[in-house]
Amino acid sequence: MRSIRLSLFLFLVVCLPRISYAWGCTGHQTVALIALHQLQPSTRAHVAALLRTYPYTLKRSCSPTATGQMSTYSTWADDARTTSAFSSTAEWHFWDIPRTQATATEAEFCDSGCVVKAIEEQLAILKQPPPGAAGKKTQKEALIFLIHLVGDAHQPLHIVDNGDRGGNCLPVKYTAAHHNLKPSETRKNGVGTGSYTPNLHEAWDKLILGESAGYTGGANDTKLKAFVSSIESEYADPIASLVSTPGTPEEWALESHGLALANGYSALSVNVPQIAHPQHLDSCLGVSSGLLPLNETVDVPYSEQATPVIREQLARGGARLAALLNSVWTQ
């Protein structure tokens, strides 16, 4: 029975659209580059040594980047979760705090793992002296997971659930700026997942962020560097402050949850009914179709209020990731 459940889980993971992954390529690479610029010299050397000797053999969901090892490996965890070897890490990328709750504790809604617990566990592994070759490999993977998961903790739609997989099952029409996309059923390998694109999660992961980064004509390293530079300039003081006093992963996630409530759902033009006790879903079958009649639209006003939130969350994620890594290799 366990093997059947595992096979079903892997099937669903593969069938779900990749766009549901937090921050997409641009966001995770941005967090990694901001963090890189805030690392102490000794920390940077240790990080480079670990990443340099870990081969990226997984099928990539993001195009290769020449902006450095941290940005290159920032999306590895999303590629890993679709493989049998790392299928158990799928739960590490989010924390399903119900939309009806203003706050929570780490002990809640984290039975099978969540992003806060995963960050704490991977940080503990990274801080342990590796006992040998096997331990060294585990330490390298812990670093790579941290680079990604700290970014996930700062994506507001990864720290909320309204029975819609953090907005993945909430279809929207995206009319801000250069996009005018209509909901269409997402299918992969000929099998319907019940998902629609665009959806609210995708709007935060890719569309609004892409507009801010100037990626509507396609992403490249030049645009990525310019985007990172603009965030570092705009949030220079908060970045410096958070590198010194980052807070805890639980605090970061609760901060993201509050933003999801205020700037994710409540800012929508059409009220989305609240689900008090959402069930954990493995797909959007039967959910997206029920929410489609709301005719939700992510328009220019919505995008304009979400853009500064997204930019600041990327700055916070980068600063706090640097703080975590600096704490491992203190001088």
Side-chain angles (χ1 to χ4, degrees), residues 183-259:
S184 58
E185 188 168 0
T186 299
R187 293 182 181 272
K188 192 169 185 179
N189 297 327
V191 179
T193 66
S195 299
Y196 284 73
T197 184
N199 55 64
L200 185 64
H201 197 108
E202 179 184 354
W204 281 74
D205 269 4
K206 179 182 178 182
L207 301 178
I208 300 173
L209 189 157
E211 296 286 357
S212 178
Y215 281 7
T216 54
N220 58 47
D221 286 353
T222 299
K223 290 180 180 179
L224 174 61
K225 290 177 182 178
F227 182 54
V228 170
S229 179
S230 71
I231 292 179
E232 289 175 327
S233 176
E234 182 177 1
Y235 297 100
D237 290 340
I239 288 174
S241 176
L242 290 174
V243 170
S244 299
T245 312
T248 68
E250 182 175 329
E251 290 171 343
W252 311 342
L254 291 176
E255 181 180 66
S256 294
H257 180 69
L259 294 171

Side-chain angles (χ1 to χ4, degrees), residues 61 65 67 138 182 199 224 238 268:
S61 57
T65 174
T67 55
T138 302
K182 295 181 179 179
N199 55 64
L224 174 61
L268 289 167

Side-chain angles (χ1 to χ4, degrees), residues 161-197:
D161 190 25
N162 193 48
D164 60 1
R165 293 179 57 86
N168 274 296
C169 304
L170 178 56
V172 299
K173 182 178 180 181
Y174 190 87
T175 62
H178 301 287
H179 295 280
N180 186 15
L181 308 176
K182 295 181 179 179
S184 58
E185 188 168 0
T186 299
R187 293 182 181 272
K188 192 169 185 179
N189 297 327
V191 179
T193 66
S195 299
Y196 284 73
T197 184

Side-chain angles (χ1 to χ4, degrees), residues 70-101:
M70 283 187 65
S71 55
T72 294
Y73 280 89
S74 65
T75 53
W76 180 92
D78 275 341
D79 297 332
R81 65 192 281 193
T82 65
T83 68
S84 58
F86 293 97
S87 61
S88 61
T89 69
E91 306 290 330
W92 294 5
H93 297 252
F94 51 87
W95 186 15
D96 280 341
I97 303 176
R99 182 184 167 202
T100 52
Q101 293 203 194

Side-chain angles (χ1 to χ4, degrees), residues 101-115:
Q101 293 203 194
T103 188
T105 65
E106 184 180 339
E108 298 176 282
F109 319 112
C110 195
D111 295 340
S112 55
C114 63
V115 68

